[in-house]
Amino acid sequence: MKALSSGLLLVFQWLLGVSCVVFALTAQAQPALPVDVLHWWTSASERKAADQLGALLAANGVQWKDAAIPGGGGMAAVKVLKSRVLMGDPPDVAQLIGTTLTDWADVGLVLPLNNVAERQRWSQSLFPTVMDLVTYKDNIIAVPLGIHRINTLLYNRRLFARIGMAPPATWAQFEVAARKLRAIQVRPLAWSDEPWQMATIFESILLAETGPALYADLIVQRKSSAWMDPRVERALNRLRLLRSLSTDTPTERTWTEGARELLEDNVGMMIMGDWAKGELMAWGASPTKDFGCVVVPGTANMHLYSIDTLAMLVSPRQREATQEKMAALVSGANAQLAYNRHKGSVPVRRDVDPLTLDSCARDSWTTFASPRAARVPSLAHRMAADETVKDAVAQTLWRYLTDPGMDASEAQRRLAAVIRAPRSDR
Ligand code: GAL
């Protein structure tokens, strides 16, 4: 990130210089220009959710100009964003999430939104965990949109009725369900060898095995020594077991393909963030008839979160007033409900009536709001570590799962090595 940071800093300084000249020459009121939004919401539910925001903005004189880059987990979108910035053409708004936000803020690319946050009393209306995430060095650096729950297990109701079981609450029940599903020629669990999807499943299993305290040492404090704990070994063994239950040949399926298999009765369960629930609903599936949603076994009363945010980027186009207007509009109570209903996530606001949410969302929101629940950040979705550490962990898990010669203790050693301690200035 260091090399990138200094490169970005130079480009950014040049951009600021150019923009001052342009602004001085034109010296006129800002015209109502479209805002160019770079994001990775391209599936049916993601599209519907983004369209809610687009429609709200249009009704208020702001035009959402879409720059959507397909690719689950934003792998491609983040690369495109970096290259656009290096080419001197940053988007006005970008889906930047978690710790990546602070990296961009450090190079001066993010427009602080302190005025919007103050006017709208975000410190009172938003969850404290959400405020912490978007606050950096006394600045508000992004607009929070929704809270996803990573430790979500979706199951096919028809198939579970056929095997005569309730959804699993323990790993022992999970294994019984898996055997029964196999007995009726159904693959127990949707699986993909995309590294980010493996990492998404792994962190839920890890939380289940370790509990929130050790999880925090491993993922938040990133204590290398903690990675040698036997509970981590158990989580890695379980991860391998889950993969062996689910796949014969290594395949990189998209997460929407996994959700499609669940809906079409080809697999019994799926462990994925609740955006998969949003997708099933966007296809017309019913959470009371077709599929159900519970937490990953062993993670009751725990919320493994990933919070989607939009950052307003400083650009030569002088869009500050429009960007602030957009920030104020999309964080409002109605926008939050409309967006999250499609996205599968839950509002970042505390002033929501949980009865207006579907049962999966209601459990997510009330757990996130509960003082007795544990909220822990997702590594796979950038809430706990930067892009480099996250990718190194995902690649290590990929190596472990695709190389039968690597055992769990070797994977532990490698994970301990790639997990670096958080930067001291955070
Ligand atoms: C996450 C993102 C979600 C969803 C998912 C699948 O990183 O927070 O909004 O889009 O990826 O692409």
Side-chain angles (χ1 to χ4, degrees):
M1 192 70 199
K2 267 226 154 57
L4 172 70
S5 303
S6 45
L8 287 175
L9 192 57
L10 284 176
V11 174
F12 173 66
Q13 282 162 348
W14 174 79
L15 285 173
L16 264 192
V18 174
S19 69
C20 290
V21 174
V22 172
F23 191 62
L25 287 177
T26 50
Q28 57 191 16
Q30 294 188 3
L33 293 167
V35 280
D36 181 14
V37 190
L38 188 145
H39 61 89
W40 63 87
W41 295 320
T42 51
S43 75
S45 55
E46 292 171 335
R47 201 53 275 167
K48 280 189 176 183
D51 287 349
Q52 298 295 314
L53 302 180
L56 172 79
L57 292 169
N60 287 277
V62 178
Q63 193 196 332
W64 171 299
K65 190 168 153 246
D66 212 51
I69 313 293
M75 306 306 290
V78 169
K79 291 195 180 98
V80 172
L81 176 64
K82 279 182 190 164
S83 65
R84 280 191 59 175
V85 170
L86 289 168
M87 285 181 329
D89 176 33
D92 303 311
V93 182
Q95 183 187 2
L96 274 179
I97 66 176
T99 51
T100 36
L101 271 170
T102 54
D103 290 333
W104 293 95
D106 273 337
V107 291
L109 200 78
V110 173
L111 181 76
L113 296 169
N114 302 15
N115 294 340
V116 178
E118 256 163 51
R119 271 201 308 276
Q120 299 206 321
R121 299 165 170 264
W122 284 8
S123 55
Q124 281 123 66
S125 54
L126 307 190
F127 286 113
T129 309
V130 173
M131 279 307 278
D132 284 352
L133 185 83
V134 296
T135 307
Y136 181 59
K137 295 184 177 165
D138 296 331
N139 281 329
I140 301 292
I141 53 174
V143 197
L145 286 180
I147 304 163
H148 277 299
R149 192 176 201 178
I150 305 294
N151 54 323
T152 300
L153 184 144
L154 299 163
Y155 65 97
N156 177 308
R157 287 190 185 273
R158 283 179 293 277
L159 294 173
F160 269 74
R162 271 176 68 193
I163 61 171
M165 275 188 77
T170 64
W171 288 113
Q173 289 169 3
F174 181 98
E175 284 171 32
V176 175
R179 273 199 299 278
K180 290 192 172 190
L181 287 163
R182 277 194 151 170
I184 58 166
Q185 269 78 51
V186 168
R187 269 189 300 126
L189 184 70
W191 190 268
S192 167
D193 286 318
E194 281 189 343
W196 76 269
Q197 292 197 52
M198 291 175 168
T200 300
I201 294 182
F202 175 65
E203 61 189 17
S204 284
I205 301 175
L206 186 68
L207 178 62
E209 285 296 339
T210 63
L214 179 56
Y215 181 95
D217 282 351
L218 297 163
I219 300 288
V220 183
Q221 309 304 329
R222 307 215 292 273
K223 286 188 191 152
S224 288
S225 56
W227 282 86
M228 299 316 293
D229 192 283
R231 286 167 283 181
V232 177
E233 184 179 7
R234 283 210 295 273
L236 284 161
N237 284 331
R238 183 169 310 288
L239 183 68
R240 184 162 264 168
L241 176 82
L242 258 50
R243 181 172 189 262
S244 73
L245 279 177
S246 321
T247 182
D248 306 323
T249 43
T251 322
E252 296 208 345
R253 294 185 183 86
T254 62
W255 67 269
T256 51
E257 286 173 292
R260 178 66 68 187
E261 288 185 306
L262 184 90
L263 183 61
E264 292 179 349
D265 301 350
N266 294 325
V267 299
M269 296 177 277
M270 181 175 197
I271 296 176
M272 182 55 61
D274 48 11
W275 50 85
K277 174 209 71 176
E279 192 69 6
L280 291 167
M281 289 174 74
W283 295 336
S286 152
T288 49
K289 280 201 267 173
D290 300 309
F291 71 93
C293 164
V294 289
V295 291
V296 167
T299 65
N301 225 18
M302 300 176 204
H303 199 297
L304 177 45
Y305 63 83
S306 171
I307 299 170
D308 274 321
T309 46
L310 290 177
M312 307 291 151
L313 302 190
V314 174
S315 89
R317 286 186 287 271
Q318 299 284 335
R319 295 280 201 278
E320 286 86 343
T322 317
Q323 288 167 311
E324 289 197 348
K325 188 170 177 185
M326 175 170 176
L329 285 167
V330 303
S331 56
N334 290 339
Q336 280 282 300
L337 282 175
Y339 163 89
N340 283 294
R341 189 168 296 132
H342 292 286
K343 188 67 176 70
S345 42
V346 296
V348 292
R349 301 179 62 101
R350 298 146 88 172
D351 54 0
V352 164
D353 176 0
L355 291 175
T356 60
L357 307 175
D358 67 70
S359 60
C360 184
R362 197 178 314 136
D363 190 54
S364 167
W365 189 89
T366 46
T367 306
F368 197 85
S370 164
R372 285 174 306 281
R375 284 158 292 277
V376 295
S378 158
L379 177 86
H381 295 273
R382 307 174 177 82
M383 298 294 119
D386 64 23
E387 207 70 13
T388 317
V389 173
K390 161 188 89 68
D391 288 344
V393 169
Q395 283 303 329
T396 307
L397 293 170
W398 184 88
R399 286 287 298 278
Y400 164 64
L401 285 178
T402 55
D403 176 359
M406 194 195 296
D407 65 8
S409 57
E410 172 62 14
Q412 279 177 282
R413 271 192 293 280
R414 292 193 187 196
L415 288 167
V418 297
I419 291 276
R420 293 190 313 266
R423 291 207 311 250
S424 53
D425 59 346
R426 289 217 175 120

